[in-house]
Amino acid sequence: MSAARDVAYTVIRAVAEDDAYANLLLPRELERARLSTADAALATELTYGTLRRVGTYDAIIEMAASRAASEIDAAVLDALRLGTHQLLATRVPSHAAVHETVDLVGRVAGRRATGFANAVLRRVSEREEEEWLTRIEDAARSDDERLSVRYAHPVWIIRAFRRALAAEAREDELLDLLAADNAAPTVTLAALPGVGEIPEGSERTPYSPIGFRLAGGDPDRIVRGSGGAVRVQDEGSQLAALALSRALPVRSGELWLDLCAAPGGKTAVLAAEAVAHGARLEANELSAARARLVRQSVAAVPIEVPVSEEDGRTRAGRGVYDRILVDAPCTGLGALRRRPEARWRKAPADVPELTQLQTELLTAAVSALAPGGVVAYVTCSPHLAETAGVVAEVQRHFGAELTQLDAREVLSSVAGDDLDLSAPADGSGRAQLWPHRHGTDAMSIWLLRRS
């Protein structure tokens, strides 16, 4: 267990100290440590399980320590979070969890901190998880705070989810959504259309025609062996790209643009679709490092995809493109299953700045559309300010020049099964995917056409 715990702690500290992304750092740490399959699985569970429930574990640690989490040394606090997760949510024996965590504290913070850590963890071990949850729920000041403690989501995110579900008259699904966010997602892969092949014996995804899940085996081996023609990609991400390429029949020679392309999963799907239909594709990504990821993502597709490194708000031009994907920077609230630390990293104050950027990017994209062109506005967030609010602002700017296509109808024509997409109360054509309902990230998809 020690090696798995050390990998988990390294990643957890990097997330807290350096704003690292666990989903990017953990695979590198696992490869460096050369863990067995079982130990790698344990390290993954310890990492994501701890990061997912930081807020809840901090409340428990505060009760056990009789002091605020902010008053505890950061390195010690991360070790206590990891130890608390082992005590309350894994099968690791209590004595082993306490002993190894105290040993870890001694190595990272010195012997003087070990007595404190030992006392806190032993108090934590005196109660089962449900008893701790009941105690901290009893101390909560509101129903939303009680939900925050039990489901490990900040209050502001709970309220944003409730409003987004209420816009579909399905607010009674809130608890299912919160629970789905705390469940580890299954690995979904995509075989680029016309380029990659779905392996025999794989389970086809219910909605995306290019998606599948392995019955067993190592996804990385399949991905590496395909040379990039097969990739790990959420089914919702696959559908977002296909919504644009299949929104209308493609005329040969069309010019497409992926305006905010990194890391390139949707770009690769669009590139494969462009080859199949005789279209051309360009991509753009402001960050040079992330632009390299885009170039790598399309390397397996037999088409040249120029990748520019410019600000998307000034890159697009005017009246040039037939289809544009705006996969806008957002809070990422729809991907909390895969990026559990994001829930503790974002704050309500982040939303206004993001919505301004999203509005400017979408405005630039619409201006760059040729007559009759379509832009897909996509966010991995269901937050209404980032979705309905942004689109409403852009539509006010363009007036009758901009109309909505029914994204739900388009996705239903692409999907193999009934998607169960609710019509928003505002009458828009938005398609909203959900983790608890579709098993995908909470992807919001709009299709806007310039007259």
Side-chain angles (χ1 to χ4, degrees), residues 171-189:
E171 56 266 48
D172 60 336
E173 297 180 2
L174 176 62
L175 299 187
D176 292 335
L177 171 57
L178 297 177
D181 265 355
N182 289 335
T186 56
V187 176
T188 305
L189 297 97

Side-chain angles (χ1 to χ4, degrees), residues 92-383:
V92 175
S94 294
H95 68 276
V98 172
H99 172 76
E100 293 216 3
T101 305
V102 170
D103 176 69
L104 174 63
V105 169
R107 288 194 283 113
V108 302
R111 289 182 57 84
R112 293 182 61 184
T114 59
F116 169 73
N118 184 66
V120 171
L121 291 170
R122 291 196 180 280
R123 290 191 194 107
V124 172
S125 69
E126 290 171 357
R127 294 180 172 86
E128 298 292 329
E129 179 186 26
E130 186 60 34
E131 187 177 352
W132 276 115
L133 289 176
T134 300
R135 291 192 73 192
I136 54 180
E137 281 181 327
D138 289 343
R141 296 167 297 182
S142 68
D143 289 342
D144 283 348
E145 282 195 6
R146 281 184 277 277
L147 289 178
S148 176
V149 166
R150 179 163 290 276
Y151 290 97
H153 284 67
V155 168
W156 77 274
I157 293 179
I158 290 172
R159 291 171 178 167
F161 283 171
R162 182 185 288 112
R163 287 191 290 270
L165 288 167
E168 301 180 359
R170 298 180 83 153
E171 56 266 48
D172 60 336
E173 297 180 2
L174 176 62
L175 299 187
D176 292 335
L177 171 57
L178 297 177
D181 265 355
N182 289 335
T186 56
V187 176
T188 305
L189 297 97
L192 297 180
V195 180
E197 295 184 359
I198 296 177
E200 284 189 23
S202 300
E203 176 192 359
R204 302 294 292 260
T205 51
Y207 308 123
S208 170
I210 65 172
F212 66 97
R213 299 184 181 95
L214 294 177
D218 181 8
D220 289 339
R221 182 182 59 81
I222 300 292
V223 171
R224 288 193 298 268
S226 75
V230 171
R231 63 194 54 243
V232 174
Q233 186 174 16
D234 180 74
E235 189 177 10
S237 175
Q238 299 173 36
L239 290 171
L242 294 173
L244 176 62
S245 64
R246 303 185 183 186
L248 298 169
V250 181
R251 293 173 291 102
S252 180
E254 282 189 3
L255 181 59
W256 302 353
L257 171 65
D258 188 348
L259 189 60
C260 312
K266 298 181 186 70
T267 319
V269 174
L270 289 177
E273 289 278 281
V275 169
H277 296 287
R280 295 170 292 148
L281 174 65
E282 297 175 1
N284 179 72
E285 175 54 47
L286 179 61
S287 162
R290 288 166 61 80
R292 286 195 292 273
L293 296 177
V294 178
R295 295 186 183 98
Q296 293 168 10
S297 75
V298 298
V301 185
I303 185 177
E304 181 183 356
V305 181
V307 181
S308 55
E309 299 172 11
E310 302 177 30
D311 188 323
R313 293 169 290 187
T314 56
R315 155 69 175 78
R318 298 188 67 84
V320 176
Y321 296 97
D322 299 290
R323 301 179 198 229
I324 300 177
L325 174 63
V326 180
D327 184 10
C330 67
T331 56
L333 301 187
L336 299 183
R337 302 175 307 154
R338 292 185 294 108
R339 298 172 188 161
E341 72 274 14
R343 70 188 73 188
W344 312 114
R345 207 174 247 173
K346 299 295 184 181
D350 297 325
V351 175
E353 183 177 354
L354 281 168
T355 56
Q356 180 178 346
L357 174 60
Q358 292 156 356
T359 301
E360 292 170 356
L361 286 168
L362 184 54
T363 299
V366 173
S367 298
L369 285 176
V374 176
V375 60
Y377 175 63
V378 175
T379 63
C380 192
S381 170
H383 197 299

